[in-house]
């Protein structure tokens, strides 16, 4: 029996791919792919399609009605657990930040007060800068040396995960621990960052951990939830975790659900959504419950969320759309300092500079405000103000950003003078931009809100003075809210979920329409200049991110022109040696192999044409098969050989060993492997003339990883993967082709 | 050239279908299909899949980047319009009901007051009953004689539409007019109904009308939005319309979006969702704006929605889960009185009985309450109470249901005595059940809420007395809220969107978790006994409704065992006579025909096997082709013959003429039709061994109407349609097979 393994020439780098050169018509825009930097750890595609092989079908058929019901119940239990744990983590972060920041500000405040009268405030400045630097150093060290993936907010990574691309190490326990400690340090260290973004990442990690019923890092297997050990189920739970994270961060359970759906799930499933909502609800209420105990007011559940804007009670009357045209988008300085030591040093530098700039601003400001009885500032600095007054600039700088936002929203008109706000906006904007590129765990939500609130309030004050202080225009807090929405929308560009998050966080649906209009305007204006911050990030990592629809003008592309071809196919009965060679070939890092039928008629001839498709098998499955030596000859000789079960695949999930670690002797190379039982016998296929939008829709709606292209006699002629579809993108000059990382 | 049209034997009634008998293993449950009543007007399936034929692709390829942008903008404009018009309609209904009911109650109240002292209250009773009957008669007449489909809330029909099944006449202008007038009459006539359900239907009709840029009923074509004249686009807009309807009815824009998604869209598309949200927002705010003008308080936009529960301000502390186990599900008396006259008579009878019962209850009640200065009752009846007091039973009965609900939620503890509430709950429950089956336009939301609120408050009062009036348990209004949620949840079973609607309508996210838990419990308990009200309705009409997932235990069914077979196929070049015969065959009412290639090898032999699939064509397309006489011979002879364009198909959409109205002469019957240009060349296919859940997922995720089953050489062996999938359903005894209407 001759083995007609098809030519192995599906090139590893997309730029060398056969598909790109051959049949593709020239694309508009001679512009060359701009980002060719490959990430060190190649991202993996997730497979949202069940591998319905014989083993799977047998298991499903064996399972009773009751069994499915138990599964469904355990899904709910897992979601409840995810919500609970995410809420606990949010609670921990909140209390830790509040306690530590409290101590820090108390120390600095006492020091300043001591030196205000006797002079020598430079000592206070140094104290402040050193304190900040030390705390930030701690955070930067753990991130830079232990888990670099924990840097930033983690939202781009979670977006990728929900989209179907797994960035390595992103949902590990270690990442979670580093993230939580890192974000506490960053916030306490006084950087211009928030603690909300990282909550979303934390929720996702919790979900990925809990749902698997084991921790690979801790080498503990609780022998539960084994059914959930596959991409399909895990991705569902990670959606729930991300939603729980948003919910805990902003007290917005509905916003959380919409975030997950907006970013991830392309196939909307009712039961899944209910579970996600359940996780979100549990998360908000857990956080709330424990915080209410911490604040010695148990049972008062009316202030949900890590951030709370307080409730806007007054009617909106005239908060209007004229604000919405103000929009700016941060030109973020994305830097790549790669040496860990340098990263730590840079973080410390930024912390020190932040302290210095803040101090200078406060020092030279002479905006004194009377200290009211109902002031919301926790650490009012008197400095050079008269007794009973406080320095207004200090309320903005000498405070955690959350509190500053709330002050900007709710303080009485006249609390801030325009100059203070203008200066604050400018300096904070530049600090935030600089801070963003640091390798510390940090979120971008709060700084954006703060900057937006500051210039929003500034606009409100100016407008009020222009319109000769008519009482209707008098509340600058509303302008601050709208400004904050516009700024945040301009940066992150999530229209729907952000509207709901803002509405839920302000607790008043009346602001819904203005917020939505502002966010839409911000998105349109922003998109005209540049993509959103997270999308820039994702693009920089050249991840094959699939958008919602194929580019509008791509109807003239067909499956034939986008597919990778020729494809490495395997026979149903294949020689072990061939399989090992194909898997070991480092230049072709394929993950899916169509299984074809031996076409006996053509067997003799030299020119072996494409053969009939009869299934699809994954690299991970082949590796498990090799590891367990499921060879035809061995099965014959050792009759007692245990039959391979689905459990063996689940135990190996998700960290399948590399092919190099599997030893296959020379004798074994001559054995045969029978793939029939393990391959997916009914992979989705498309004819070669299918238009790109149609291929895209199928791929996206079903969350596929591989889509086989067949001719009209069901013979394999190509394979469409995520990168083949993600390449095409609508630029300013029409359709463009990007260069992407191999998955 | 011999025409090998395949055997036409795909039977019209599913029970005679070849597929059900042949390969299907015996299903569990010897139970025979229970509902065999066929609806008079056969429902049609919608096609959510674009027909990507040559014409379509050419048009798409011709269109520039700018063209697509304009399309996108016009989609937003249409959604804005939908929201605006839906808001206006809601506003009209609200004002009309308020004015007319005001007049009615004023007349009756004066009459009662007049006769209370002098005796002869039976005259008041007669006046009340006659007034009610007359108004209800009006509503029943227009519904029964002009548009029977406008009866009820219309929610089951909209659910079907969003699911992909079009009940005839459901989105016509006439239906809208009858619905709006009908619902005003029903509510003013004092029936136990609400005006919220019909708003959802109204929104959907508005959407279907506006998006098409013409009215077939009025024979006006505005020559705009022609691109949107196909199922795909129309269904998207109808989703937006339904969301706008919910949003206007409950002041819940997010709830509206979630309703549309929960019921309809299986493929979640970000842009679509944003548009739906936009329509919802515009709808709420339009309603709000005009109502605020009407209430002489322009600009006060803080009370959105037709129904407004008022804001629950106090903290929840202990509203807890103990309520959630109370749940009941209405055993609705579904009757089918088919003669229109009888329907009208019955509606009048119910109206009179409602008035009589209410009057009797009020008359015999001696629950007098002091008339506080801040009372929420608009028409307090003094009756036999002392001066400065009012009859408490009358606040519940002698009022529009919306107001009664609000009183139950917000009135001070002690406003109602338990006996009043108990009696009210009982009588109103039976009235509501009786009313539900009437052929008048009416919603079930408000009566459910009212009954739930009444027994919720009752429980609250009883619990308060048991726990010796500790102040924590003292507010029965919260129990009323939870009771209302439970009752409504038990009846309609929409967990997710209902939670959000309730939270938005109460304006306090703090109640989110308890409401959700109550709704979930209600759903679980309810599902144990019976399906939800809307689902019962849908089932009674034997509509092939697709649920979210295939039944869990259906993995052993394959595409081969569920498909309809053999299939009527057409050749690429087909004789006109054959096509006319196939279409005219009334026993087979097929809508989709696989187009196959002429297999020349088998041409000679007697036994013609299945031929290679090369496309799919729809009945509606064939009819347009026949109407325009697109025959090969004619094209040759008349060279100037205008080429058929996509516009011709769009103009015929959606009311394609029946085949009987198209005259084809004997000569023309001998002509040939070339289907290549018009067929969809790349229909989705599945191999015959694909498991049912896999087929289901593909079908549902892409919103297909026909899915071709092929063997491993791409030859057509069967066709899966909606009814083939909707037949299987998980009953108490395992998998059951239902009998469904042909679509």
């Amino acid at each position: 029996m001759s083995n007609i393994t098809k030519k192995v020439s599906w090139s590893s780098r997309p730029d060398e791919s056969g598909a790109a050169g051959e049949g593709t018509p020239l694309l508009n825009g001679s512009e060359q792919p701009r980002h060719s930097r490959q990430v060190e750890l190649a991202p993996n595609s997730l497979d949202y399609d069940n591998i319905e092989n014989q083993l799977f079908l047998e298991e499903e058929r064996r399972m009773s009605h009751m069994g499915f019901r138990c599964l469904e119940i355990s899904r709910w239990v897992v979601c409840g657990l995810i919500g609970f744990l995410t809420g606990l983590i949010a609670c921990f972060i909140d209390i830790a930040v509040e306690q530590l920041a409290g101590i820090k500000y108390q120390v600095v405040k006492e020091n300043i007060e001591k030196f205000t009268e006797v002079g020598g405030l430079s000592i206070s400045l140094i104290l402040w800068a050193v304190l900040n630097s030390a705390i930030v150093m701690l955070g930067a060290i753990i991130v830079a040396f232990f888990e670099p993936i924990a840097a930033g907010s983690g939202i781009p990574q979670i977006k990728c995960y929900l989209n179907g691309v797994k960035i390595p190490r992103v949902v590990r326990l270690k990442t979670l621990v580093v993230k939580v400690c890192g974000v506490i340090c960053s916030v306490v260290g006084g950087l211009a960052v928030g603690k909300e973004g990282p909550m979303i990442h934390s929720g996702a990690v919790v979900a990925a951990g809990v749902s698997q019923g084991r921790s690979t890092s801790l080498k503990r297997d609780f022998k539960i939830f084994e059914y959930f050990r596959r991409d399909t189920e895990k991705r569902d739970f990670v959606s729930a975790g991300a939603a729980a994270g948003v919910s805990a961060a902003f007290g917005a359970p509905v916003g959380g659900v919409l975030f997950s759906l907006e970013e991830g799930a392309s196939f909307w499933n009712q039961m899944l959504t209910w579970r996600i909502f359940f996780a979100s609800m549990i998360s908000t209420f857990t956080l709330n419950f424990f915080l209410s105990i911490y604040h010695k007011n148990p049972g008062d559940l009316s202030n949900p969320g890590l951030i709370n804007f307080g409730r806007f009670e007054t009617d909106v009357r005239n908060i209007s759309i004229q604000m919405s045209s103000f929009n700016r988008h941060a030109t973020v300085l994305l830097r790549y300092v790669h040496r860990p030591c340098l990263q730590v040093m840079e973080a410390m530098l930024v912390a020190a500079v932040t302290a210095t700039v803040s101090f200078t601003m406060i020092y030279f400001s002479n905006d004194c405000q009377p200290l009211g009885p109902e002031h919301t500032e926790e650490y009012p600095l008197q400095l050079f103000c008269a007794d009973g007054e406080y320095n207004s600039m200090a309320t903005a700088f000498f405070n955690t950003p959350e509190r500053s936002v709330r002050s900007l929203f709710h303080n009485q008109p006249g609390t801030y003078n325009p100059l203070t706000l203008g200066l604050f906006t400018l300096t904070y904007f530049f600090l935030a931009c600089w801070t963003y590129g640091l390798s510390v765990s940090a979120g971008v939500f709060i700084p954006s809100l703060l900057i937006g609130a500051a210039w929003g309030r500034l606009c409100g004050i100016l407008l009020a003075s222009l319109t000769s202080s008519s009482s209707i225009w008098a509340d600058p807090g509303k302008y601050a809210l709208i400004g904050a929405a516009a700024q945040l929308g301009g940066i992150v560009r999530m229209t729907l979920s952000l509207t709901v998050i803002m509405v839920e966080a302000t607790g008043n649906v009346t602001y819904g329409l203005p917020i939505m209009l502002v966010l839409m305007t911000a998105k349109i204006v922003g998109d005209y200049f540049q993509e959103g911050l997270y999308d820039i990030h994702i693009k920089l990592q050249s991840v094959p991110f699939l958008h919602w629809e194929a580019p509008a003008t791509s109807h003239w592309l067909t499956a034939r022109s986008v597919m990778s071809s020729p494809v490495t196919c395997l026979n149903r009965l294949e020689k072990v040696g061939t399989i090992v060679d194909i898997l070991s070939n480092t230049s072709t890092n394929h993950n899916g192999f169509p299984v074809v039928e031996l076409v006996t008629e053509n067997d003799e001839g030299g020119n072996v044409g494409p053969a009939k498709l009869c299934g699809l098998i994954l690299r991970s499955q082949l590796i498990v098969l090799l590891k367990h030596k499921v060879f035809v000859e061995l099965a014959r000789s050792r009759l007692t050989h245990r039959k391979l079960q689905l459990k063996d695949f689940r135990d190996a999930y998700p960290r399948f060993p590399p092919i190099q670690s599997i030893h296959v002797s020379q004798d074994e190379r001559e054995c045969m492997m029978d793939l029939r039982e393990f391959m997916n016998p009914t992979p989705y296929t498309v004819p070669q003339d299918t238009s790109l939008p149609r291929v895209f829709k199928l791929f996206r709606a079903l969350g596929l990883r591989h889509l086989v292209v067949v001719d009209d006699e069901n013979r394999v002629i190509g394979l469409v993967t995520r990168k083949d579809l993600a390449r095409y993108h609508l630029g300013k000059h029409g359709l463009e082709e990007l260069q992407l990382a191999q998955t």
Side-chain angles (χ1 to χ4, degrees), chain A:
Chain A
M1 197 185 289
S2 83
N3 295 299
I4 47 156
T5 307
K6 299 297 137 336
K7 272 159 288 169
V8 185
S9 53
W10 188 31
S11 62
S12 74
R13 287 286 171 265
D15 41 337
E16 303 159 14
S17 155
E22 275 174 28
T24 322
L26 262 171
L27 288 171
N28 284 356
S30 52
E31 208 176 319
Q32 280 303 305
R34 284 166 295 183
H35 314 291
S36 58
R37 180 178 162 270
Q38 301 280 340
V39 280
E40 308 91 295
L41 294 156
N44 261 305
S45 277
L46 292 169
D47 209 336
Y48 208 53
D49 186 32
N50 279 327
I51 305 155
E52 293 208 337
N53 57 14
Q54 274 186 39
L55 293 180
F56 177 81
L57 287 175
E58 272 164 24
E59 190 192 77
E60 296 281 314
R61 283 166 193 166
R62 257 200 316 274
M63 214 185 288
S64 68
H65 189 178
M66 214 53 218
F68 282 108
R69 188 153 289 178
C70 288
L71 265 185
E72 190 60 29
I73 291 171
S74 52
R75 284 199 191 102
W76 281 93
V77 170
V78 169
C79 282
L81 268 179
I82 291 170
F84 180 72
L85 291 177
T86 308
L88 273 192
I89 290 174
C91 192
F92 171 70
I93 293 179
D94 196 50
I95 293 176
V97 166
E98 195 162 314
Q99 289 292 347
L100 294 175
I103 293 170
K104 189 191 87 175
Y105 284 121
Q106 211 54 50
V107 168
V108 175
K109 190 181 173 216
E110 274 164 19
N111 192 283
I112 289 177
E113 273 164 5
K114 201 171 82 190
F115 285 106
T116 308
E117 283 167 39
V118 298
L121 271 173
S122 51
I123 295 170
S124 304
L125 167 61
I126 291 167
L127 174 72
W128 192 0
V130 167
L131 264 181
N132 273 7
S133 296
I135 300 168
V136 167
M137 186 182 71
L138 203 66
I141 283 175
I142 54 174
V143 170
F145 288 97
F146 293 103
E147 196 57 280
I149 201 83
S153 70
I155 296 181
Q157 284 85 345
I158 297 306
K159 273 184 79 155
C160 286
Y161 194 100
L162 296 181
N163 193 265
V165 187
K166 194 187 156 199
I167 315 278
R169 315 177 65 80
V170 101
V171 288
R172 298 219 179 149
L173 183 62
K174 194 173 152 195
T175 312
L176 174 65
V177 173
V178 170
K179 188 124 223 166
V180 168
C181 300
V183 76
I184 293 174
C185 292
S186 312
V187 176
V188 174
L191 291 179
V193 298
K195 59 188 186 291
E196 282 69 24
M199 264 321 294
I200 299 169
H201 190 166
S202 305
V205 181
V206 167
V210 170
S211 67
Q212 302 299 296
R214 68 173 166 197
S215 164
T216 330
S217 311
L218 299 182
K219 305 222 170 10
R220 287 288 296 271
D221 190 340
F222 297 98
K223 303 275 179 205
I224 45 169
F225 307 141
E226 292 180 338
Y227 188 85
F228 301 146
R229 294 177 190 171
R230 46 181 161 137
D231 282 353
T232 321
E233 299 278 351
K234 196 171 174 183
R235 187 164 130 183
D236 284 353
F237 287 117
V238 171
S239 307
V246 174
S247 168
F250 302 99
V254 181
V257 174
L258 290 176
F259 173 83
S260 267
L261 291 167
E262 193 164 2
E263 295 307 337
S266 50
F267 182 71
W268 164 281
N269 181 315
Q270 206 178 24
M271 289 311 288
L272 169 63
T273 317
W274 287 349
R275 284 198 300 270
I276 294 180
F277 192 43
F278 182 67
S280 297
M281 278 284 184
I282 295 284
S283 160
T284 305
F285 281 82
T286 306
L287 171 65
N288 241 306
F289 181 72
F290 285 104
L291 279 190
S292 71
I293 289 176
Y294 171 72
H295 291 305
K296 311 237 167 28
N297 191 8
D300 178 8
L301 303 180
S302 44
N303 282 319
L306 280 188
I307 182 175
N308 193 287
F309 301 146
R311 174 166 279 169
F312 279 80
E313 273 312 340
T314 45
D315 57 331
V316 227
R317 288 186 197 272
N318 291 290
I319 278 265
S320 58
I321 316 160
Q322 86 263 31
M323 296 293 306
S324 66
S325 56
F326 296 87
N327 167 60
R328 64 194 64 178
H329 52 112
T331 41
V332 180
L333 305 162
L334 290 159
R335 285 136 320 121
Y336 286 90
V337 181
H338 277 296
R339 294 266 301 284
C341 301
L342 287 179
Q343 288 175 339
V344 173
M345 303 271 282
E346 194 193 12
M348 288 170 67
L349 179 66
V350 174
V353 168
T354 307
T356 314
V357 169
S358 310
F359 191 85
T360 319
M361 299 288 290
I362 295 171
Y363 188 81
F364 288 109
S365 155
N366 49 5
D367 178 14
C368 290
Q369 300 286 345
L371 196 58
E374 83 303 1
H375 64 93
T376 50
E377 299 76 27
E378 199 141 333
Y379 316 105
L381 273 185
Q382 188 180 346
L383 222 62
F384 306 116
C385 295
D387 282 348
E389 291 195 334
Y390 67 95
N391 186 306
S392 171
M393 185 67 99
T395 54
F397 272 119
F398 196 67
N399 222 331
T400 55
E402 284 85 356
R403 280 184 205 284
S404 308
V405 172
R406 217 178 315 163
S407 310
L408 285 167
F409 283 173
H410 290 291
N411 278 8
Q412 291 301 310
T415 322
Y416 295 90
N417 88 37
L419 187 67
T420 313
L421 280 177
L423 277 173
F424 173 75
T425 308
L426 267 177
T427 47
Y428 203 81
F429 179 72
F430 285 109
L431 282 176
C433 287
W434 193 11
T435 312
Y436 185 74
L438 291 181
S439 76
V440 292
S441 302
V444 74
F445 276 95
I446 290 298
S448 309
L449 283 175
L450 187 51
I451 297 164
W455 67 254
R457 197 172 174 110
L458 182 62
C459 295
I461 293 172
L462 296 180
L463 270 171
S465 65
L466 281 179
T467 54
S468 62
S469 71
S470 122
S471 71
I472 291 173
W473 304 88
D475 184 2
K478 285 168 194 163
Y479 291 93
L481 173 66
I482 298 294
Q487 180 72 32
L488 189 54
I491 289 175
V492 304
R493 315 276 164 83
M494 300 187 301
T495 310
L496 182 64
S497 47
L498 208 54
T499 310
V500 177
I501 289 172
M502 295 291 286
V503 168
E504 284 188 286
T506 54
N508 193 330
V509 78
T510 330
Y511 294 86
L513 191 63
I515 289 178
M516 185 177 190
L517 290 176
V518 162
L519 284 174
M520 273 168 53
T521 319
K523 186 179 161 57
I524 292 165
V525 175
D527 280 350
Y528 184 75
F529 292 105
Q530 204 179 350
E531 280 185 273
L533 183 62
Y534 298 141
D535 296 314
I536 294 175
H537 248 245
I538 288 168
K539 227 179 192 171
L540 273 177
Q541 303 197 331
S542 61
V543 166
F545 193 84
L546 285 189
H547 290 277
W548 287 95
E549 283 175 328
T553 55
S554 63
H555 267 99
W556 49 272
L557 286 169
T558 62
R560 194 177 38 242
S561 56
V562 301
M563 71 189 183
S564 303
S565 158
V567 188
T568 313
C569 292
L570 297 175
N571 285 311
R572 279 206 292 198
L573 212 60
E574 186 62 272
K575 223 170 115 182
V576 173
T578 318
I579 293 176
V580 172
D581 288 344
I582 289 173
L583 293 185
S584 312
N585 187 339
T586 47
S587 72
T588 67
N589 226 344
H590 306 173
N591 279 303
F593 304 92
V595 179
V596 294
E597 221 160 336
L598 215 58
V599 187
T600 37
E601 305 102 73
N602 286 343
D603 214 356
E604 311 292 317
N607 183 16
V608 180
K612 285 213 164 52
L613 176 73
C614 67
L616 184 80
I617 197 154
L618 301 180
R619 166 182 285 265
S620 58
Q621 291 177 298
L622 290 173
I623 284 185
V624 173
L625 293 181
L626 285 174
K627 198 175 135 204
H628 288 86
K629 307 212 182 295
V630 188
F631 308 145
V632 178
E633 285 77 5
L634 290 183
R636 271 183 214 143
S637 59
R638 286 183 283 162
L639 282 173
T640 53
H641 197 291
R642 190 176 66 90
K643 199 165 165 286
L644 206 64
Q645 284 178 327
L646 223 46
K647 190 178 173 308
D648 300 301
F649 292 95
R650 283 182 186 147
D651 284 345
Y653 179 83
R655 303 191 199 168
F656 297 101
I659 180 71
Q660 288 76 16
S661 72
I662 292 168
H663 179 72
V664 178
S665 71
Q666 205 57 41
D667 282 354
E668 286 171 342
R669 283 183 67 89
E670 295 302 316
C671 290
M672 300 298 286
M673 259 165 77
D674 188 353
L675 305 179
R676 258 173 301 181
E677 207 178 341
F678 308 104
M679 71 186 189
N680 179 359
T682 53
Y684 293 109
T685 59
V686 283
Q688 49 182 335
D689 291 325
T690 315
S691 69
L692 177 61
R694 207 172 167 79
V695 173
F696 198 98
K697 198 178 160 198
L698 181 67
F699 203 90
R700 187 78 164 93
L702 300 177
L704 300 182
R705 188 172 179 182
H706 303 99
L707 181 58
V708 186
V709 182
V710 293
D711 66 6
D712 55 4
E713 290 194 322
N714 205 30
R715 289 178 303 211
V716 182
I717 55 167
L719 197 63
V720 174
T721 58
R722 176 172 278 271
K723 77 160 175 37
D724 296 319
L725 297 177
R727 270 187 310 187
Y728 300 98
H729 140 108
L730 207 59
K732 272 178 197 151
H733 313 286
L735 209 57
E736 288 170 5
E737 210 174 325
L738 296 175
Q739 194 170 356
L740 297 167
Q742 177 80 357
T743 58

